[in-house]
Amino acid sequence: EVQLVESGGGVVRPGGSLRLSCAASGFTFDDYGMSWVRQGPGKGLEWVSNINWNGGSTGYADSVKGRFTISRDNAKNSLYLQMNSLRAEDTAFYFCARGTVVGDYWGQGTLVTVSS
Amino acid sequence: EIVLTQSPGTLSLSPGEGVTLSCRASQRVRSNYLAWYQQKPGQAPRLLIYGASYRATGIPDRFSGSGSGTDFTLTISRLEPDDFRVYYCQQYGSPPYTFGQGTKLEIK
């Protein structure tokens, strides 16, 4: 069974940093690209970033470019999102999804709240 | 950036009825790379359709997708109680891979 479990969310002050993790199981992790998608409270979905199978190619939404960094460790079956210079508008549930452009499996999400 | 507009915003229907949801793109979606997701509040999205018309693994044939270019639809026949959720379309032909704002199905 495919499982994706996010962690690392929490409350952080504007300008602060957080690192999200996504632990994958139930499939061959390095066969797949991965993505992060976020959803503000009561809002729609926003694609944030993606990474190919070996980390050699990454993409970012303009809203996070230069502040967020996606990475992966295939030996640990894990996906990461380093978030720096956080803003109030980054407050959202962050989901990891299997796939570079279409998410066929998603985790349950981790909540990031940016507030002073 | 391709803007996706879904209509209507909310639909009130009864179990057993059929429904067609619309997703219109501001420009042509390359290779009809259009997906549909279903989401219950507080839960992860579930992939229903990809490539405009291909059902994802395990999705019943009550769900069907169609369309091309800039106009796409998701049709659900014989609504069941568990279908009353929010539906999002997503284009993945051109980055950034944008989503529509969603259509909510509610029980009449």
Side-chain angles (χ1 to χ4, degrees), chain A residues 37 39 43-47 50 60-62 95 100-109, chain B residues 35 37 39 42-47 49-50 57 88 90 92 95-101:
Chain A
V37 176
Q39 186 170 36
K43 296 187 177 180
L45 299 164
E46 179 188 13
W47 173 78
N50 64 6
Y60 298 92
D62 285 346
F95 298 97
T100 309
V101 293
V102 173
D104 62 352
Y105 288 92
W106 297 58
Q108 289 302 306
Chain B
Y37 299 87
Q39 187 184 32
Q43 294 188 2
R46 174 193 184 195
L47 177 65
I49 300 287
Y50 64 94
T57 304
Y88 295 96
Q90 179 210 10
Y92 56 99
Y97 306 116
T98 47
F99 290 85
Q101 82 281 16

Side-chain angles (χ1 to χ4, degrees), chain A residues 56-69:
Chain A
S57 176
T58 60
Y60 298 92
D62 285 346
S63 58
V64 307
K65 199 173 293 183
R67 301 188 297 122
F68 290 12
T69 302

Side-chain angles (χ1 to χ4, degrees), chain A residues 69-82:
Chain A
T69 302
I70 191 171
S71 62
R72 63 190 296 161
D73 185 337
N74 288 344
K76 295 183 178 180
N77 289 344
S78 293
L79 175 72
Y80 306 102
L81 187 67
Q82 177 67 44

Side-chain angles (χ1 to χ4, degrees), chain B residues 84-107:
Chain B
F84 290 87
R85 301 189 178 190
V86 181
Y87 292 82
Y88 295 96
C89 58
Q90 179 210 10
Q91 69 80 22
Y92 56 99
S94 309
Y97 306 116
T98 47
F99 290 85
Q101 82 281 16
T103 291
K104 181 180 179 180
L105 295 188
E106 60 179 30
I107 297 179

Side-chain angles (χ1 to χ4, degrees), chain A residues 86-99:
Chain A
L86 283 161
R87 306 167 180 167
E89 55 265 35
D90 296 318
T91 294
F93 278 95
Y94 284 74
F95 298 97
C96 70
R98 190 177 80 168

